[in-house]
Amino acid sequence: MLAKKQLTLKLFFPLLLLVFLSGCWDKIELEDIALVTAIGLDKGSIPGRVDVTLQIMNAQKAMISQGNATDKEPDHINITLRNTTPVLVKDQANAVITRRINISQVQAFLIGEELAREEDLYNVIAAMIRDPEMRRETPVIITKERAETFIDRNRPKFETLIYAFYRFKFNRWKETGDVPLSSVNDYLRAHADQAPYLFIYATTERKKTKAKGKGDDTTAGHMEIEGGDPVEMIGAALVKEGKMIGTLTGEETRFALLLAQNLRIATYYLAFPDPDDKPWMISTRLKNETPPTIEVDLKGKRPRITVTVPLYVEVLSIPSGVDYVADITLQKKLAQYLEQTMQRKFADLVEKAQHTWKADIFNWYRFVRSRFLTWQAYEAYDFPKRFPEADVSIRVQLQMVDFGKQMRPQDKLPPFKKENR
Amino acid sequence: MKRTPTNDQDLYRTHNPSTNDKIGFRELIAIDFFLLGVKGTDTTVPFFYEFAGNAAWLMPLFIFLFILPFVLLVSRLLARFEGKNLLIISEHLIGRPLTYLAAWVLFLLGMAATVLNTRSYTQMTGIMFYGRTPLIFLYAVILLATAYVAYRGLETIGRVASLLLPYALFSIVLAFLGVYDIIDYRAIFPLFGQGWSVLPKTVTHLGFVVDIFYFALFAGLLKSGSRTYQNATLIGTAMAGIGAMGLIFMYTGVFGYPAVNQVLFHYQQLTRIAHYGQFINHIEAAFLGTWILATVVHFAIYIYTMVYLLHYLVRAKDMFRLFVPIVAAIFFAGLYPYRSEKLFFTYREWIVWALTATVYPYLLLLVLLSRTKGGKKRARKKTAYT
Amino acid sequence: MRWMRLNMKNQLVMHHEKLAREHTQKEMMHLKTPLPRRLNQTVQLIKERFYANKNADFQTRFTSYGRRRAYLIYLQGTVEQALVEHAILAPLNHPLPRRRRIHPGIDARLSSLNIKPLKTIETVSDHLLNGYPVLVIDGERTAYAFSMSAFPSRQIGKPDNENVLKGPHEAFTEDIEKNSALIRRYVRTPKLIHEMHTLGRQQKTSISLFYIEGVINPALVDNIKKRLDAIDRLDYDQIANIEQFIEERPYSLLPSMLTTERPDRVAAHLLEGHIAIMQDNFPYAYIAPATYWTLFHTPEDHYARLPYAWFSRGVRTIAFFLTLLTPAAYVAVTNYHLEMIPIALLMAIAGTREMVPFPVILEILLMEFSFELIREASIRIPSQIGPTIGIVGAIILGQAAVQANIVSPIMVIVVAITGLASYAHPDLSFGFAIRIARFFFIAAAATLGFLGIALLLAAALAYAVSFKSFGVGYFTPWAPYVPSSHDVFLRKPLPNETVMPLSNMPVQKTKANRKRYLSLDKSDPWRKRRRWHP
């Protein structure tokens, strides 16, 4: 019996070895791959084809103690393949790249505005995602210039390795909402729902603009900022039915996200002209701790949508010196003013969405859905068609929380002295 | 397989809780979970989306409600013939020839399902993770590991399952935590999806969960007989149902309803998206590990059942010699290339129809006959509480 | 159920009787050469047997027994010389008063000594070998052996392998009598049985079985005795290690017995219905049946307070998986699933890998082999230069190999963690098993990444749960579930451990008076558990 066992063992090990040696088709060695950080897509000169740009990182630059061996090598290189399709790129690129192209760590897809406006974006992205290495959660950015140019010019000052740029940038936007965090998965979801979708909008073409003092109420490339990294990323590109049809400013983007309940707890700064002393601006911090309530009424001929936006306001600075802190009536006036201003801004945006773009950028169809019991009924109602004629009323419920960390606008006298006087 | 104890060594054996070749309550719960819960991660999900639309996540609940009376009836049937396997009961009730016929049908359909499913799981792994590895190799390796687990016997499968169950549940919870922030729960509305049309489709596709009735074949190997079968099956099925509901809810919430129809291999795609904070992301390979473990247990039970049926059919002396032909048959049949996933779904549907059309009537027949023909009357109460 | 058990007991009794019969028959067969009546012949026979002309240890002392001549025979060094002179020779040589006509028997003459009468040459030689001085008297067919053996033996020392911070610090020695006494010190009950069996033809090895009657399942004892009998029948020249003679699966990686050098641990296991097997001249006890849990636990788990014990078990559980899977996971991740590595780390690893000429799998095998080399060498190395090996290993493998770009720095971390974790496992045999198994996992990971690891893990798990040690499943009482005190991954507070692990099928089912235990909380207001009062 033992001899039999020994025999099986003797047979077993070569077999095991055979299995182990015969495997390894999918094996890759780390030093043998070229990691792609970003993929850019542009309109090709042949219709239906795209120009694909790959941004490839130099792994050796990640080491601190490499000495002079890699000093002459660049941090990353970009290659552009013209008139191709995204699926073919990985193999074609090896004509000029030594290593196996790996796209599992892609940080962002960049799509030129030209392509987004003229070709069907859905087809492009759906073709992209076919590769199993591609990830659905990858962020998508629409660039004002060609993505190729964008990638080429995007040399952040601090980040030696370019992947950090995308990562840090997105983390920051998560909190402010100046930019929608658009991902492939979300876009595919919205497209299937026949809903428009907001993409991140960015550019490296930074121009001086005529309109002054607009703050973040501008689109990428028009901010009044000097210096910094070459990339300016603010606002959103609106894509409807696979085509880009417009842009939203940073502020509009934020409001759109807020009204869609997509801006979770966010804090952002807004400045308003002082109602009492116009040239001065009141800086406030707005918080939407509780999301807006969205009520949908489909009984009438036109859908009625009532949105109540609770906002918590902290007034941070009052350079005009009007004493809003102590004076209740002035405070009420300020609150009312802020409320009206916000309401007007929201209304403007809704107006634009309903009539200029004719697109439900607030994703209110999601709230309409729960009014129906079956999918057939929902489809028959066809909300995307009815959205432009919907009755939308937006109410802002403003609550003054406090006046920042300082007691008085001028911060000269503590209040108890005033009482003594 | 059973021998009468002849000396004290054998008595030691039969009284030994770790060697008595039986499976208990916990093991059966775990086995039922792995039989059905894993279906929430495979090609069953697209069927659910087809039937119920965005209400697919309610399908496990529907199915559970449908099979609930069957589980109760079958366990009552088993209680009447306490300690006997289903086929022996069947021989008693409908005679040997008919039982043979039924066993052949069960065997062939089971084989077809095993072949199709093993192949589909292999393809899933191949496409999502091992693009350049030949399918034959993957298939062979997965089948080998599965066959080995099955070969160690039913109680081994049960123990492995019961050891792995907490990890399987934990991985579902982990997946949920990973996608928590991108779930849009509004995608489950309209609540009833495709409406009433789901009912007839559910009934015709009850074959999806026929596995737990296959398990009645081993009723004699359960520690407390029909009582274990009934309770463990209900609890295990409920757990699997809740697990599957959670998974499908996640798919709907993450991919969005009409968009989810474009997705193939939902579970794999979901785990690709799962992320924990900024730095722990892309950990689908870790989920692959737990999923493969679950898959191995799942198919080990399939293979064991097939071997058991063949053992009954050909009256083989040693059941364990049948493993080689069965696994070889599954392997070579699984290599039969079907080119498109569409065709695969067609085949799967045929098998499920066939299973629904044969197994449930067969069980009903047995239950009805058992009322008139023999067996212990009111045996359930007696055996259940002594 | 009950009648079955009774039936079983009857059968067992019958079986015991049968065994006893067989034993006496065997004894009869060994009674070969009776002692001759004449002294010269007897002494000659014994001398021939021991090659007395060549053997310096063989000592004969002439003395007299009354008027008759007598020889005291012993092997030098095995008996206590002073005691022989003092307690045997002196009284014998002391002349008797003349008026005593009838010579008193030997028992009366040397009444303070433990005397064994011997009838055959074989038994005489056995006793001489075991350190008994034997008195042979002219005209008598009986020789007398005196129990005064004094084999040199080590003092009881501290345990070398199973150290605890808190708990007894005693370990077994090579002397079976001392060991037996040690065990008896921990288990002071008349039910503790110490059975001795002698195996082996040339080197007579005495095998001791320790168990507690009324706790252990008699079938288990029988089973082990049967295995001993089977060994005995084959007449092996020597029994180097009894473990390997009686285990079921010599090729398996998993050990089926627990090896310990601590008497307290043996005692604890005996009380839970295990059996301890000890071999003479071997300072370890083997405890059977062993489960994964017994191998995973340390004695300290029960000496340390509950949360600390949990913590330490948690660390050990993690260490177990680290040893088994870290290198494999590293290979899988870097070769197959590199998207799993956070990109910053991925870049860093890829950067360092550029300089390394070998693929990851070769690199890791190289490092793991070097580590095993250090471990193997450090056991053999003379203890004076032992500490240097650590430094040499660390410098050569860590620093130099990295600087020479033979391995990447991260690999050193991986191997170091694996090595460190492998030391955390308390049981030597099981530690070996994990260390060997990890190479299989590395191979599986190199073949198919995480898929390979998972498939091998499933197969290994299936093997381990169906592995049985003396009929007891390796993962009982967890899988399959058997009533016990849940002393598996975690443990209960000591007072709550009231149920025996029924996986050993002990005759006694509880460890404490359950009834009193259940009423304990009510009687003592300070121990009362806090309950919610609405």
Side-chain angles (χ1 to χ4, degrees):
Chain A
M1 197 196 133
L2 287 184
K4 197 179 161 192
K5 231 176 193 175
Q6 261 175 346
L7 187 74
T8 43
L9 277 176
K10 273 178 195 162
L11 280 174
F12 174 69
F13 279 107
L15 273 174
L16 207 68
L17 214 67
L18 196 74
V19 169
F20 290 146
L21 291 177
S22 61
C24 328
W25 287 277
D26 276 285
K27 192 171 184 173
I28 30 173
E29 292 295 336
L30 268 182
E31 67 275 14
D32 190 32
I33 56 163
L35 283 170
V36 177
T37 338
I39 299 180
L41 298 171
D42 284 307
K43 191 164 179 281
S45 49
I46 303 175
R49 299 282 183 90
V50 285
D51 291 357
V52 183
T53 310
L54 303 178
Q55 187 172 37
I56 296 167
M57 281 186 290
N58 184 355
Q60 273 182 312
K61 288 285 182 176
M63 290 185 63
I64 302 157
S65 57
Q66 263 314 314
N68 355 349
T70 60
D71 271 0
K72 284 173 196 162
E73 298 179 12
D75 297 336
H76 54 85
I77 49 169
N78 309 323
I79 58 166
T80 305
L81 297 96
R82 307 229 177 261
N83 295 322
T84 175
T85 57
V87 183
L88 298 177
V89 162
K90 259 165 58 176
D91 293 337
Q92 284 178 353
N94 273 118
V96 289
I97 294 288
T98 8
R99 303 174 183 195
R100 183 193 294 279
I101 307 283
N102 185 295
I103 50 174
S104 66
Q105 295 278 13
V106 167
Q107 301 289 313
F109 293 144
L110 305 159
I111 295 171
E113 190 174 334
E114 193 190 359
L115 176 72
R117 279 193 189 272
E118 290 170 25
E119 301 270 338
D120 191 347
L121 203 56
Y122 175 74
N123 286 345
V124 173
I125 288 180
M128 210 62 205
I129 212 71
R130 292 237 158 230
D131 192 313
E133 262 182 36
M134 288 289 182
R135 300 185 155 273
R136 291 176 78 100
E137 74 270 26
T138 316
V140 185
I141 302 172
I142 290 189
T143 58
K144 197 173 180 184
E145 61 277 41
R146 282 175 68 85
E148 184 190 340
T149 329
F150 180 91
I151 289 177
D152 203 36
R153 287 194 199 151
N154 182 9
R155 304 263 169 190
K157 301 255 161 70
F158 289 160
E159 323 305 341
T160 319
L161 290 171
I162 191 73
Y163 72 86
F165 165 80
Y166 297 106
R167 172 157 291 184
F168 295 155
K169 205 89 174 165
F170 296 140
N171 271 339
R172 190 66 200 110
W173 291 138
K174 225 177 252 179
E175 289 164 23
T176 62
D178 265 337
V179 147
L181 288 181
S182 49
S183 72
V184 174
N185 185 50
D186 287 351
Y187 173 62
L188 295 179
R189 178 153 81 181
H191 184 85
D193 280 329
Q194 302 172 348
Y197 191 65
L198 299 179
F199 282 102
I200 306 172
Y201 195 53
T203 184
T204 49
E205 290 170 359
R206 294 169 56 181
K207 291 175 197 158
K208 292 260 168 69
T209 39
K210 283 164 205 160
K212 302 227 185 287
K214 298 205 87 177
D216 60 359
D217 194 12
T218 49
T219 50
H222 301 290
M223 295 272 290
E224 291 176 289
I225 301 177
E226 305 289 331
D229 285 339
V231 171
E232 200 172 293
M233 192 184 279
I234 192 165
L238 175 63
V239 172
K240 187 190 168 196
E241 288 159 7
K243 291 241 163 85
M244 178 170 162
I245 55 167
T247 54
L248 275 76
T249 66
E251 201 175 273
E252 282 170 346
T253 310
R254 184 186 297 160
F255 291 154
L257 293 177
L258 177 66
L259 292 180
Q261 280 194 358
N262 271 344
L263 202 59
R264 302 261 158 96
I265 301 167
T267 311
Y268 39 88
Y269 296 86
L270 267 185
F272 295 94
D274 196 319
D276 263 23
D277 204 350
K278 287 284 178 189
W280 298 97
M281 299 291 278
I282 297 177
S283 321
T284 57
R285 177 159 60 196
L286 293 184
K287 273 191 220 168
N288 58 320
E289 278 171 6
T290 42
T293 50
I294 295 158
E295 281 163 35
V296 182
D297 180 11
L298 305 175
K299 286 198 187 89
K301 214 175 180 185
R302 300 189 298 174
R304 284 178 58 84
I305 298 167
T306 318
V307 185
T308 317
V309 190
L311 283 177
Y312 298 89
V313 182
E314 279 177 49
V315 178
L316 297 181
S317 78
I318 311 165
S320 62
V322 180
D323 194 357
Y324 291 111
V325 183
D327 195 333
I328 301 290
T329 43
L330 273 177
Q331 222 181 68
K332 269 190 183 163
K333 196 179 162 195
L334 176 67
Q336 214 173 7
Y337 169 74
L338 292 181
E339 223 171 75
Q340 277 170 359
T341 316
M342 291 299 290
Q343 219 148 313
R344 206 190 57 242
K345 286 187 179 206
F346 285 139
D348 285 353
L349 185 61
V350 172
E351 168 71 22
K352 229 173 166 180
Q354 277 188 312
H355 297 115
T356 316
W357 297 316
K358 294 190 174 24
D360 175 17
I361 60 170
F362 312 104
N363 291 354
W364 283 333
Y365 71 93
R366 289 161 54 225
F367 302 90
V368 174
R369 272 179 157 198
S370 53
R371 303 277 140 179
F372 296 96
L373 280 180
T374 63
W375 184 256
Q376 285 85 351
Y378 168 67
E379 278 204 320
Y381 188 76
D382 200 6
F383 179 74
K385 280 269 146 46
R386 287 173 187 240
F387 170 72
E389 65 214 29
D391 275 341
V392 182
S393 61
I394 294 177
R395 275 184 307 186
V396 177
Q397 282 177 348
L398 207 104
Q399 233 172 319
M400 289 279 199
V401 182
D402 50 40
F403 285 82
K405 60 181 183 180
Q406 284 166 335
M407 297 296 283
R408 297 271 308 273
Q410 293 87 353
D411 205 26
K412 276 174 192 160
L413 296 168
F416 59 89
K417 282 205 171 163
K418 186 185 168 189
E419 277 171 24
N420 286 350
R421 215 160 26 165
Chain B
M1 289 228 297
K2 259 189 178 177
R3 289 183 301 161
T4 46
T6 49
N7 55 24
D8 58 288
Q9 285 303 315
D10 274 340
L11 277 169
Y12 184 69
R13 214 178 95 85
T14 47
H15 279 81
N16 192 335
S18 39
T19 15
N20 58 3
D21 299 338
K22 285 194 169 188
I23 59 171
F25 191 62
R26 286 159 195 253
E27 283 88 350
L28 188 54
I29 287 182
I31 284 179
D32 280 336
F33 179 83
F34 282 109
L35 274 177
L36 301 184
V38 179
K39 288 179 197 253
T41 65
D42 69 1
T43 43
T44 318
V45 178
F47 281 102
F48 287 178
Y49 277 113
E50 194 194 318
F51 299 160
N54 54 352
W57 68 289
L58 287 173
M59 279 294 284
L61 183 69
F62 275 142
I63 293 182
F64 180 74
L65 291 179
F66 272 112
I67 61 163
L68 185 66
F70 274 98
V71 173
L72 294 176
L73 284 176
V74 169
S75 53
R76 181 162 289 196
L77 171 72
L78 295 175
R80 273 175 188 269
F81 302 88
E82 193 62 68
K84 295 229 166 49
N85 295 340
L86 190 70
L87 290 173
I88 297 170
I89 300 172
S90 169
E91 274 182 13
H92 176 75
L93 290 176
I94 59 174
R96 216 166 226 198
L98 276 178
T99 306
Y100 257 62
L101 184 69
W104 269 115
V105 172
L106 285 180
F107 173 69
L108 290 176
L109 286 177
M111 276 299 272
T114 312
V115 167
L116 210 59
N117 288 346
T118 44
R119 159 88 188 210
S120 120
Y121 275 59
T122 311
Q123 215 153 11
M124 227 183 274
T125 346
I127 291 174
M128 292 304 291
F129 295 95
Y130 299 92
R132 294 195 294 276
T133 309
L135 200 68
I136 295 185
F137 180 72
L138 275 181
Y139 196 37
V141 172
I142 291 176
L143 264 187
L144 248 153
T146 313
Y148 177 76
V149 175
Y151 181 78
R152 302 298 293 188
L154 189 61
E155 76 273 27
T156 301
I157 302 173
R159 285 175 207 173
V160 171
S162 68
L163 278 175
L164 290 180
L165 180 63
Y167 299 98
L169 293 173
F170 178 67
S171 77
I172 295 181
V173 174
L174 203 67
F176 180 75
L177 291 178
V179 296
Y180 169 72
D181 57 340
I182 39 179
I183 286 184
D184 180 10
Y185 75 94
R186 283 175 191 282
I188 63 167
F189 293 115
L191 197 61
F192 294 114
Q194 300 290 347
W196 290 111
S197 67
V198 74
L199 285 181
K201 280 179 183 162
T202 311
V203 172
T204 50
H205 290 79
L206 278 180
F208 279 130
V209 291
V210 88
D211 319 34
I212 53 172
F213 299 109
Y214 265 75
F215 211 86
L217 294 172
F218 311 115
L221 297 178
L222 298 175
K223 259 179 196 160
S224 325
S226 60
R227 188 173 152 225
T228 310
Y229 180 80
Q230 180 184 317
N231 296 349
T233 305
L234 287 182
I235 294 175
T237 313
M239 275 167 73
I242 292 168
M245 273 171 83
L247 282 169
I248 300 174
F249 174 76
M250 281 188 255
Y251 307 147
T252 317
V254 169
F255 302 119
Y257 168 56
V260 81
N261 290 332
Q262 301 290 325
V263 176
L264 204 57
F265 315 141
H266 299 77
Y267 180 71
Q268 269 68 18
Q269 302 244 28
L270 185 85
T271 54
R272 282 174 81 89
I273 292 183
H275 60 104
Y276 308 89
Q278 231 192 99
F279 293 101
I280 306 173
N281 50 7
H282 305 182
I283 59 160
E284 69 268 16
F287 282 103
L288 170 76
T290 49
W291 182 71
I292 283 290
L293 284 172
T295 305
V296 166
V297 176
H298 180 81
F299 288 123
I301 307 163
Y302 274 34
I303 292 179
Y304 189 87
T305 316
M306 289 307 113
V307 170
Y308 182 85
L309 274 172
L310 190 65
H311 163 71
Y312 170 80
L313 288 169
V314 302
R315 298 270 157 193
K317 219 180 229 172
D318 185 3
M319 175 172 163
F320 289 89
R321 289 195 180 178
L322 295 176
F323 270 96
V324 178
I326 289 268
V327 173
I330 293 173
F331 177 68
F332 289 112
L335 290 183
Y336 168 71
Y338 48 87
R339 287 284 167 218
S340 73
E341 285 291 323
K342 197 80 196 157
L343 207 55
F344 163 79
F345 283 114
T346 320
Y347 290 160
R348 178 102 203 265
E349 193 153 30
W350 287 347
I351 291 173
V352 170
W353 278 337
L355 278 170
T356 318
T358 50
V359 175
Y360 291 94
Y362 171 61
L363 288 173
L364 266 183
L365 180 70
L366 290 185
V367 169
L368 285 177
L369 282 178
S370 74
R371 301 205 146 246
T372 53
K373 232 182 165 184
K376 280 184 278 179
K377 278 197 177 171
R378 297 182 59 78
R380 211 170 99 78
K381 261 192 184 162
K382 270 183 206 163
T383 50
Y385 300 107
T386 47
Chain C
M1 284 296 149
R2 178 167 279 178
W3 69 266
M4 289 273 274
R5 213 166 285 151
L6 281 174
N7 192 9
M8 180 173 158
K9 203 161 192 180
N10 285 341
Q11 286 209 8
L12 284 182
V13 169
M14 279 159 64
H15 185 73
H16 273 298
E17 282 166 0
K18 202 177 118 201
L19 272 186
R21 274 201 305 280
E22 279 174 2
H23 195 68
T24 42
Q25 275 170 9
K26 218 168 76 181
E27 285 278 280
M28 294 295 281
M29 273 167 66
H30 275 281
L31 287 175
K32 272 180 199 156
T33 331
L35 288 175
R37 190 175 287 279
R38 303 181 95 187
L39 178 65
N40 285 350
Q41 277 180 5
T42 315
V43 173
Q44 196 57 37
L45 272 175
I46 298 172
K47 273 185 174 174
E48 272 171 20
R49 209 177 167 82
F50 280 87
Y51 303 96
N53 49 345
K54 294 186 222 168
N55 199 339
D57 281 348
F58 190 81
Q59 298 283 325
T60 50
R61 298 283 291 270
F62 181 72
T63 179
S64 62
Y65 183 70
R67 293 193 191 96
R68 283 182 284 174
R69 290 179 300 137
Y71 274 103
L72 186 73
I73 305 169
Y74 58 88
L75 295 178
Q76 200 170 19
T78 64
V79 299
E80 220 162 300
Q81 195 79 27
L83 205 63
V84 168
E85 305 279 348
H86 185 76
I88 308 173
L89 292 175
L92 283 178
N93 289 339
H94 192 268
L96 284 167
R98 290 213 163 182
R99 55 180 149 77
R100 292 284 295 269
R101 282 194 183 165
I102 305 160
H103 191 79
I106 188 106
D107 293 352
R109 195 72 197 278
L110 301 168
S111 59
S112 62
L113 296 175
N114 178 6
I115 300 170
K116 277 187 181 175
L118 310 171
K119 297 281 187 190
T120 62
I121 290 289
E122 281 78 15
T123 47
V124 166
S125 92
D126 279 359
H127 278 82
L128 281 173
L129 287 172
N130 287 337
Y132 287 73
V134 175
L135 184 70
V136 197
I137 303 166
D138 189 26
E140 277 200 41
R141 304 199 79 144
T142 313
Y144 300 96
F146 305 94
S147 166
M148 47 182 65
S149 74
F151 280 105
S153 77
R154 193 156 60 97
Q155 284 302 306
I156 289 167
K158 283 193 161 192
D160 292 329
N161 302 330
E162 293 168 90
N163 283 319
V164 293
L165 296 176
K166 190 176 173 184
H169 295 288
E170 277 174 336
F172 289 127
T173 66
E174 286 77 5
D175 188 358
I176 186 72
E177 283 172 19
K178 272 188 193 164
N179 294 346
S180 157
L182 273 178
I183 295 175
R184 278 206 185 272
R185 221 182 65 199
Y186 285 92
V187 191
R188 301 202 179 185
T189 160
K191 288 180 180 171
L192 173 65
I193 313 280
H194 172 191
E195 266 188 42
M196 230 187 212
H197 298 254
T198 311
L199 305 180
R201 195 166 57 192
Q202 296 283 348
Q203 189 208 38
K204 303 267 182 195
T205 310
S206 63
I207 306 294
S208 302
L209 304 181
F210 293 91
Y211 56 88
I212 297 178
E213 192 73 51
V215 175
I216 196 166
N217 192 316
L220 178 61
V221 183
D222 266 14
N223 181 293
I224 283 168
K225 277 191 206 159
K226 263 191 182 170
R227 293 186 194 195
L228 290 178
D229 276 353
I231 298 161
D232 197 16
R233 254 177 263 129
L234 289 171
D235 273 339
Y236 286 102
D237 264 358
Q238 64 161 354
I239 308 291
N241 187 344
I242 189 66
E243 181 192 20
Q244 294 177 43
F245 277 87
I246 61 175
E247 71 182 350
E248 288 152 79
R249 293 175 187 75
Y251 289 99
S252 175
L253 273 186
L254 300 176
S256 55
M257 275 190 262
L258 168 68
T259 316
T260 179
E261 51 177 349
R262 300 180 57 92
D264 56 325
R265 208 163 180 210
V266 171
H269 279 94
L270 293 184
L271 288 168
E272 284 193 347
H274 294 256
I275 187 167
I277 303 159
M278 290 196 81
Q279 184 179 352
D280 202 4
N281 304 333
F282 206 73
Y284 290 95
Y286 295 109
I287 294 170
T291 62
Y292 169 74
W293 312 110
T294 56
L295 297 167
F296 164 70
H297 295 164
T298 71
E300 191 139 29
D301 291 350
H302 276 80
Y303 299 140
R305 290 190 59 249
L306 188 74
Y308 321 148
W310 281 5
F311 181 74
S312 131
R313 277 191 186 174
V315 170
R316 256 181 284 142
T317 311
I318 293 167
F320 171 78
F321 286 109
L322 281 181
T323 319
L324 198 62
L325 297 178
T326 316
Y330 179 75
V331 171
V333 164
T334 49
N335 274 344
Y336 289 90
H337 312 287
L338 44 100
E339 72 280 354
M340 263 184 96
I341 315 173
I343 184 162
L345 184 61
L346 177 67
M347 299 292 285
I349 299 175
T352 54
R353 286 275 313 145
E354 297 229 334
M355 299 291 162
V356 180
F358 306 118
V360 170
I361 173 73
L362 211 63
E363 202 185 350
I364 206 155
L365 286 179
L366 197 76
M367 282 302 281
E368 291 289 350
F369 176 72
S370 318
F371 188 83
E372 291 299 321
L373 201 64
I374 291 182
R375 184 196 278 259
E376 193 65 26
S378 61
I379 300 169
R380 315 264 169 273
I381 215 143
S383 55
Q384 287 87 346
I385 53 170
T388 49
I389 199 84
I391 302 163
V392 170
I395 289 175
I396 289 183
L397 291 176
Q399 204 61 28
V402 169
Q403 279 183 357
N405 280 332
I406 291 175
V407 293
S408 50
I410 187 114
M411 184 65 69
V412 179
I413 300 173
V414 167
V415 173
I417 284 181
T418 315
L420 203 61
S422 74
Y423 279 110
H425 211 277
D427 190 73
L428 193 69
S429 310
F430 205 76
F432 259 117
I434 308 170
R435 273 160 54 209
I436 296 170
R438 84 172 190 271
F439 285 99
F440 291 104
F441 278 97
I442 291 175
T447 318
L448 275 175
F450 271 117
L451 175 67
I453 294 180
L455 289 175
L456 188 59
L457 204 61
L461 194 63
Y463 177 76
V465 293
S466 57
F467 184 88
K468 281 160 202 138
S469 153
F470 297 89
V472 173
Y474 219 51
F475 281 86
T476 48
W478 192 250
Y481 179 80
V482 177
S484 73
S485 291
H486 298 279
D487 184 14
V488 281
F489 278 118
L490 303 176
R491 69 169 175 85
K492 286 181 179 179
L494 281 188
N496 298 14
E497 287 196 355
T498 54
V499 183
M500 285 271 190
L502 294 191
S503 45
N504 298 338
M505 294 172 294
V507 177
Q508 182 188 321
K509 308 286 184 206
T510 55
K511 284 181 174 180
N513 188 329
R514 294 273 296 168
K515 257 184 197 165
R516 283 190 206 153
Y517 162 73
L518 292 173
S519 59
L520 190 68
D521 285 352
K522 288 170 199 159
S523 61
D524 186 345
W526 290 354
R527 285 182 71 115
K528 208 174 226 170
R529 299 230 176 93
R530 185 176 296 187
R531 291 202 174 79
W532 283 102
H533 294 292

